[in-house]
Amino acid sequence: MVGAKKRPAGEGTLFLVGTPIGNLEDMTLRGLRILEEADLIACEDTRRTKKLLSHFNIHTPVTSYHEHSGQGKLKELLLRVRSGQKVAVVSDAGMPAISDPGRELVAQAVAEGLHLAVIPGPSALTSALVVSGLPPQPFTFFGFWPRTNKERRKLLQELASIQWTAVFYEAPHRLVETLKDLSQCWPSRPVAVAREITKAFEEVVRGSAEEVYRHFLEHEPRGEITVIVGRADPAEAEKDRSKESPSVLAQALREAQAMAEEGYSLAQAAKASAQKYRLSRRTIYRGLIEKTPLQGGSEEG
């Protein structure tokens, strides 16, 4: 059994400090104290963090730490902690290490046995989830919606059958296309889009995937956006699987056809492809029959 080791005297601390996602009044008193007492603050964008510090009259030195900082900066921050300093890590908004490079720093600090402390604060993830009105338990956070077609198809396949709420972030210029994906697969699935949470123009749009998609076709999305997708109804999930998008079905058929040409029976190829893409085995099998009418094989094989 692994127990908590005694913290050596003089050891530094890596603080993970939550910062406001919009409204500066959400900054906690403890968070302000840690930022003021820290020897250094590592942040994604020094300009944004300096505005926060200036608002609260805090003059702690800052240094940039973002996805392009490299291993050199990571090692420098860990060295400061090992030498006894207090290093505070903040993201541009919300909790660090959720969707920023802070997670790599935390993982390395844990691996080295350094002391960490979390200073809870605002989070767009949990705030959007509870205000959406959709079941908050259980839920899965997917980070940012995928940008490539292959990754999007994979995620859509996962969402087709999960029986819990899904949450992800999206950029405003890609939101309409994402909602289009969702509405084409499951037009009746409940969806909520939370925009600019805690800010002056906070908005939560709720409805079916198709309704929310149509709303943002007419209203240009702006600001920070979190999308919440309701769980699949079992009957709906089965119905959805039988009408997967043409691109996914076509890919599944191509792979099944290739397997058949390699010597697999049509039944074996259909079963393997259907399992991979979470489609109906009968749908794949019928597609193979149409493509290769002279090849035999029982569907039940």
Side-chain angles (χ1 to χ4, degrees), residues 14-27:
L14 183 68
F15 292 97
L16 307 175
V17 184
T19 54
I21 57 177
N23 193 320
L24 294 182
E25 293 180 0
D26 293 333
M27 188 69 203

Side-chain angles (χ1 to χ4, degrees), residues 64-180:
S64 62
Y65 179 64
H66 47 72
E67 60 180 338
H68 303 298
S69 294
Q71 290 295 308
K73 178 55 71 72
L74 183 149
K75 293 178 179 178
E76 175 192 335
L77 296 175
L78 295 177
L79 178 61
R80 286 176 174 269
V81 177
R82 285 197 297 270
S83 67
Q85 292 189 15
K86 297 178 180 179
V87 177
V89 180
V90 300
S91 65
D92 284 345
M95 287 300 301
I98 294 295
S99 291
D100 63 52
R103 60 184 178 274
E104 184 180 1
L105 180 63
V106 172
Q108 189 59 40
V110 170
E112 295 187 18
L114 299 179
H115 185 253
L116 286 90
V118 62
I119 316 300
S123 169
L125 163 61
T126 53
S127 299
L129 177 61
V130 297
V131 79
S132 71
L134 296 172
Q137 299 174 344
F139 78 91
T140 298
F141 176 57
F142 288 92
F144 279 90
W145 186 259
R147 297 187 182 185
T148 68
N149 290 333
K150 181 178 180 180
E151 292 175 331
R152 282 199 297 271
R153 286 197 298 268
K154 180 181 178 182
L155 180 54
L156 286 169
Q157 290 159 21
E158 293 176 356
L159 293 178
S161 58
I162 62 173
Q163 298 299 304
W164 51 85
T165 302
V167 184
F168 54 88
Y169 295 151
E170 185 55 290
H173 64 280
R174 291 195 297 267
L175 178 65
V176 170
E177 192 64 29
T178 294
L179 292 174
K180 180 180 179 181

Side-chain angles (χ1 to χ4, degrees), residues 261-273:
E261 292 172 355
E262 292 175 2
Y264 288 88
S265 71
L266 297 189
Q268 290 172 329
K271 181 178 180 180
S273 184

